[in-house]
Amino acid sequence: MHCQTEAAPRACVDVHALEAVALAATRSAAVASYDWVGRYDQKAADAAATKAMREALAQAPGRGTVVIGEGEKDDAPMLFNGEIVGTGNGPDFDIAVDPLEGTSFCAKDLPGSLATIAFGEPGTLWSPGPGFYMDKIVVPPQAKDVVDLDDPPERTLANVAAALGKKVSELRVMIMDKPRHKNLIARVLRAGAAVQTPAGGDVGGSLAVLLPTLDVDLLLGVGGTPEGVMTAAAVRALGGGMLGRLAPQRDEEADAIRAAGMSLDRVYECDELAAGDAFFVATGVTGGTLLDRPRKCEGKTTCESLLISRGEIRYLTHTTFE
């Protein structure tokens, strides 16, 4: 993210200041939703996270536009598409957001729920309009040039394995455990690869591909477009590979996409989903292999966050006092 150069520039982007705001937003959302962990009330958890994140984003030094939010897809409390946040005194920037990724995990106190957000330069984060779902491939940098969404999964596995210097039998593939993926999972298993099948949370699944310590080689399957855009910000920042294509799950969604003049066949590359400098932030809500959950002890709350920006992965621990 850099200085804007149009005839009447608003301001230069202070990336560190925006990173601090993004971290404050995800931490606030994580702490607020944590009060609803294990209470089997997804909408209440979502509402708490959204309210806390909106309040934190109101302090952003500039004018942020929510390009894509999660609530419209899930009929949940949301930061809505087109919403403007921030003080207005500073740079413009785009936001892709899911205040509570993995609401069912939060409601049932299962690992994997996160508060997530991505910031990008104005006009650079892709807006899918009425498209709520997309087919995705996410791979590490070594395999970014060998994948094609039109390839059968067997060919994708062979190409990725060769790029990574592995056998197909050594690959670990992340695919969400959804009815729509039954055939895909079966084909990947028959090809000889191992499969991880979380019930949801494809942002976390994509991050597992990008983070070398988590031993996942690629992500396949259909997930949400908000998660896809946030993932693209992280993939771009780390030089990985990603492809996406709209994959409506209902006739009404497909009709709305066509009515908006968008193609159901076009494949988007990572630098189209996140077309400029961007960064990604997540804070743990229910723990797991990626990030720990908030810890409350003796009047203190400690959160663990992840910041992916400009080729770097940073883990940050933050403690607040009541």
Side-chain angles (χ1 to χ4, degrees), residues 167-284:
K167 300 175 182 177
V168 170
S169 60
E170 295 175 311
L171 293 181
R172 302 187 66 83
V173 185
M174 185 76 69
I175 307 172
M176 285 194 296
D177 187 8
K178 302 290 185 182
R180 61 181 177 261
H181 292 148
K182 182 179 179 180
N183 182 57
L184 174 62
I185 291 170
R187 291 178 69 173
V188 170
L189 289 171
R190 282 199 301 269
V195 179
Q196 292 187 25
T197 52
D202 62 328
V203 170
S206 298
L207 293 175
V209 175
L210 299 171
L211 304 176
T213 58
L214 296 185
D215 192 28
V216 177
D217 298 297
L218 70 155
L219 176 136
L220 297 174
V222 174
T225 50
E227 293 90 342
V229 174
M230 286 186 290
T231 294
V235 171
R236 181 184 176 104
L238 294 177
M242 179 177 179
L243 299 172
R245 177 168 51 205
L246 289 172
Q249 300 300 293
R250 299 192 304 265
D251 290 341
E252 296 86 350
E253 183 185 352
D255 291 342
I257 291 170
R258 294 189 188 97
M262 302 178 72
S263 171
L264 294 176
D265 299 318
R266 179 177 174 182
V267 174
Y268 295 88
E269 297 187 3
C270 181
D271 60 4
E272 294 176 293
L273 300 173
D277 288 344
F279 64 84
F280 169 86
V281 174
T283 299

Side-chain angles (χ1 to χ4, degrees), residues 14-321:
D14 184 340
V15 176
H16 295 297
L18 291 183
E19 290 174 350
V21 169
L23 283 162
T26 59
R27 288 166 180 158
S28 297
V31 171
S33 58
Y34 189 70
D35 290 337
W36 292 94
V37 167
R39 298 185 183 277
Y40 277 65
D41 192 337
Q42 295 186 40
K43 288 200 172 182
D46 237 350
T50 299
K51 180 177 183 293
M53 183 171 279
R54 179 177 279 118
E55 290 173 353
L57 291 175
Q59 307 305 313
R63 185 178 64 186
T65 301
V66 178
V67 173
I68 182 168
E70 173 71 3
E72 292 181 40
K73 173 169 74 73
D74 290 339
D75 189 26
M78 60 179 175
L79 283 148
F80 58 84
N81 293 2
E83 181 172 350
I84 304 298
V85 300
T87 64
N89 183 24
D92 291 345
F93 54 96
D94 284 353
I95 301 172
V97 61
D98 187 353
L100 185 58
E101 154 79 347
T103 52
S104 64
F105 295 165
C106 178
K108 298 175 183 179
D109 197 2
L110 298 174
S113 186
L114 305 166
T116 57
I117 200 166
F119 282 19
E121 295 176 297
T124 61
L125 295 184
W126 178 65
S127 175
F132 297 145
Y133 291 90
M134 65 189 307
D135 195 9
K136 308 168 191 173
I137 295 177
V138 178
V139 293
Q142 305 95 303
K144 64 186 296 186
D145 297 323
V146 302
V147 290
D148 187 327
L149 266 180
D150 291 322
D151 282 345
E154 295 83 359
R155 183 178 301 161
T156 296
L157 295 173
N159 289 343
V160 171
L164 298 181
K166 295 183 175 184
K167 300 175 182 177
V168 170
S169 60
E170 295 175 311
L171 293 181
R172 302 187 66 83
V173 185
M174 185 76 69
I175 307 172
M176 285 194 296
D177 187 8
K178 302 290 185 182
R180 61 181 177 261
H181 292 148
K182 182 179 179 180
N183 182 57
L184 174 62
I185 291 170
R187 291 178 69 173
V188 170
L189 289 171
R190 282 199 301 269
V195 179
Q196 292 187 25
T197 52
D202 62 328
V203 170
S206 298
L207 293 175
V209 175
L210 299 171
L211 304 176
T213 58
L214 296 185
D215 192 28
V216 177
D217 298 297
L218 70 155
L219 176 136
L220 297 174
V222 174
T225 50
E227 293 90 342
V229 174
M230 286 186 290
T231 294
V235 171
R236 181 184 176 104
L238 294 177
M242 179 177 179
L243 299 172
R245 177 168 51 205
L246 289 172
Q249 300 300 293
R250 299 192 304 265
D251 290 341
E252 296 86 350
E253 183 185 352
D255 291 342
I257 291 170
R258 294 189 188 97
M262 302 178 72
S263 171
L264 294 176
D265 299 318
R266 179 177 174 182
V267 174
Y268 295 88
E269 297 187 3
C270 181
D271 60 4
E272 294 176 293
L273 300 173
D277 288 344
F279 64 84
F280 169 86
V281 174
T283 299
V285 176
T286 55
T289 57
L290 185 62
L291 292 167
D292 204 355
R293 62 177 61 205
R295 299 292 182 183
K296 295 187 177 184
C297 181
E298 298 180 350
K300 300 182 295 183
T301 300
T302 301
C303 295
E304 188 175 22
S305 300
L306 171 71
L307 170 63
I308 297 177
S309 177
R310 293 167 289 175
E312 295 183 343
I313 303 167
R314 285 180 278 169
Y315 290 90
L316 303 106
T317 301
H318 180 77
T319 300
T320 55
F321 297 86

